[in-house]
Structures are given as C-alpha cells and as structure tokens.
Amino acid sequence: MGTQTENGLKIVVVGGFGVGKTTLVRSVSEIRPLGTEETMTRAGETVDDVSGVREKAATTVAFDFGRITLDAHNVLYLFGAPGQERFWFLWDRHFSGTLGAVVLVDTRRIDDSFWAIDRLERHGMPFIVACNDFGGPRHTPDEVRAALDLDPHIPLLDCDARSRESGKRVLITLIEHVRHRHAAQTPLSEQELV
C-alpha cells in the first residue's frame, strides 16, 4: 500500500490576458496539465482586447491545472485562471482555499495587471509578482514596482514562463513569502518567550 498525501497546497496563477499563465503551469507541472483552452475566433476579438496578443491562437476559458509533489506528504496544486475580463467572475472561486497567488505580468502591457493585484489585496491573499520575459524593453524592479504601486514587502522577480527552472523559482519565492508572512502574523506563545 502506498503512502498518502496529507497536505494539498493550492496556488493560483493570475494576470492579464496572454501573459503566460498556461505556459507557466505547463512548464512546472509533473503531470500532463489539465487545460480548458479553446481556439480563439474572430468573434472573440470583439469581446476581448487582443491588442498586444494578436499571435495568440487559443485561450483558457475556465482554468489550467497542474501538480507538483513536494515530498511524501505535500503536493502543490496549481490553478491558472483565465485572463480575459469576461472570465474574472471565476477568480473568486479559484481563490477559495488558496495558499497564495502568483501575479504574472507582461511589462509591455502592465495595466492588465492592476485588477489582479487589486483583487488579491481585497481578499487579503499573499501574492508575489513575476514579470514574464516577452523580449520587450527591460524595466528596473523599481520602475515596475512604481508602475504597479506595489508595496515594498511584496516580492517582485523576473521569469520566463517557458522555463521549468524559472517557474520553480517563482513558486519557491511564493512559498517563502507565504511562510514569512505567516510567521510574522503568528504571535509568540508564552513558552517561546521564556
């Protein structure tokens, strides 16, 4: 009889339309990711803002799902949320029971990230920001932080969603941020004070 996993840890990857959420989930998942991608049509161009993502041929309509086994007792479940505004109503459902979130940003279209950050802040959910490299002009971390009006305690890093190693670094950064945030919020017991 095999060992059973005791802890399923849920992480959500959010961000604007076409920032690489599906790509990030696919690059780090140890299983073949479950996806709900559909072919984009001309009709969708009248509903979704496709400027900046004209080469995109498919889009997520519900979520992407991947998994990473951390050890014998802990598994990380990854949910990539759809980025189009018409699907944002799904985000609150994705947030239920979530440990934390990654906000994936395309710095060529930074305005697409504001709603995701605002939503996470309203939920009080720990999150980090990862700037996906699309080969556009480089911005300093201070420039990105100022453009997003990001609090100084929120981790900000560059990534390449296509790279497994880069994706793993993003997830490790999120887990460490959640751990530090939780430790800062947990009051010391009387035993620890002695």
Side-chain angles (χ1 to χ4, degrees), residues 17 40 45 48-57:
F17 182 45
M40 292 185 55
E45 291 180 15
D48 300 320
D49 179 8
V50 295
S51 58
V53 291
R54 295 245 179 243
E55 69 282 354
K56 192 166 172 57

Side-chain angles (χ1 to χ4, degrees), residues 15-16 82-92 112 115-116 119:
Q84 302 97 306
E85 187 174 349
R86 63 187 161 125
F87 295 123
W88 287 351
F89 71 93
L90 294 170
W91 286 21
D92 289 340
D112 293 353
W115 196 84
R119 201 84 196 129

Side-chain angles (χ1 to χ4, degrees), residues 25 28-31 33 65-69 75-78 164:
V25 171
V28 297
S29 181
E30 68 189 19
I31 63 169
F65 173 78
R67 184 184 80 201
I68 300 171
T69 301
V75 174
L76 200 60
Y77 296 113
L78 305 171
R164 181 176 181 82

Side-chain angles (χ1 to χ4, degrees), residues 29-51:
S29 181
E30 68 189 19
I31 63 169
R32 181 176 179 200
L34 168 66
T36 57
E37 283 204 320
E38 292 295 330
T39 302
M40 292 185 55
T41 64
R42 285 197 182 277
E45 291 180 15
T46 62
V47 178
D48 300 320
D49 179 8
V50 295
S51 58

Side-chain angles (χ1 to χ4, degrees), residues 7-13 65 75-79 90-101 120 123-126 174-175 178:
N7 296 312
L9 309 169
K10 180 180 175 184
I11 289 179
V12 176
V13 181
F65 173 78
V75 174
L76 200 60
Y77 296 113
L78 305 171
F79 289 82
L90 294 170
W91 286 21
D92 289 340
R93 298 230 185 247
H94 289 309
F95 291 165
S96 177
T98 299
L99 177 69
L120 292 166
H123 278 270
M125 184 177 304
L174 174 61
I175 298 296
V178 169

Side-chain angles (χ1 to χ4, degrees), residues 26 69 77 104 109 137:
R26 284 180 181 166
T69 301
Y77 296 113
L104 207 53
R109 299 176 293 122

